[in-house]
Amino acid sequence: MSDKRWLHTVLILLVMGVLTAGLYYVLQMEQAQGNPSAQAANQHLAGPLVMQKSDLYKQRDKMQREYVKRIQGMGTATLLFTQPDAVFMDIVVPLMEENGLVGMVAFGLDFHPGMEGCISFEQWRRLEKAGWEICLLWDGKTQLPQWMEKMNRFMNLAHLPSSLSVYVPEGLLNDDLLVQARKMNLKALVHHGEDGNEQNRHTTIRENDVWLPASVAWHLDDTSEKVEALCVSGGSIVLEVKNEIMWDGGYRRLFRSMLEKLVNWQNEDQLRVVTLQNAIAYRQGVLQGSSALEEEMRNHLETLDIQIEAVDEQIQLLYDTQ
């Protein structure tokens, strides 16, 4: 072999050695640090899966919130007028009719249709036809059972519909009164927060038991906030309206504004503005359907959890193969 051919062969071997060493070094580095090209490819494939997983979590959270809202039901607000007199018929009722709302009026042994300062029987018939209800106005002096006996006797003689809803004067609700109410099968005792739960929750309504909705004055500064909170909590409230303040134009404007808010919440399916008996009927219906809804929610959430787990496994598999 000539010197030139020998030199040429040596150069080729040297180049091949350098290339082999370089390739070995690259392979060693990729093995130690992971394959950047494979890693990039896997990240590209994992991107849509990560987005899918995020969307499933959002779908799960939204579904759970919607089910919880359906299970607890909407809040209810009841307008109770404890002084239904001339101003009530001239000012309040037209405003209620204008907004498509009905409420309740309170009658007692010393304040009822036909008496001076109260609406007439004919005016009550008009309200009754429109869907209004009566709440009995307990005097707080006579024992409740004896008072109810006299009240029922009067209601029958006056051809007024019976009522199992009783307005309790402030500070008089206690355990003894509740025991008496249960014995008489009353449906509701309207109180003023004596049970420590000013926004009584619907879940406290049990079949064949006495409901204890709390009453607040409609015109207080924080009443609107309390009602708005019911849209989230699913609780109930009674808005007590005394009519003497309605002679004031400022209060009339405030009352109109409150009615507009109530209607807006009702139109947005956040609140029901109903009478007490309708509130009780609504809540009992919600409670009866809650078990089925809870089971339905669990099944749907379980299905989504399985999908999330499957997507998560695909993501993990991509990263494990890098």
Side-chain angles (χ1 to χ4, degrees), residues 174-185:
N174 54 46
D175 291 340
D176 291 338
L177 189 67
L178 184 56
V179 170
Q180 295 175 32
R182 284 172 175 154
K183 289 180 179 178
M184 291 182 288
N185 295 318

Side-chain angles (χ1 to χ4, degrees), residues 92-118:
V92 176
V93 173
L95 288 175
M96 294 284 286
E97 291 175 341
E98 180 183 320
N99 288 277
L101 300 175
V102 296
M104 301 185 72
V105 290
F107 297 146
L109 289 172
D110 55 355
F111 187 82
H112 53 73
M115 290 188 65
E116 184 178 355
C118 188

Side-chain angles (χ1 to χ4, degrees), residues 70-100:
R70 290 172 62 191
I71 290 169
Q72 77 175 12
M74 287 182 282
T76 66
T78 299
L79 288 158
L80 174 63
F81 300 87
T82 55
Q83 296 171 329
D85 52 13
V87 69
F88 172 76
M89 297 303 300
D90 294 341
I91 297 176
V92 176
V93 173
L95 288 175
M96 294 284 286
E97 291 175 341
E98 180 183 320
N99 288 277

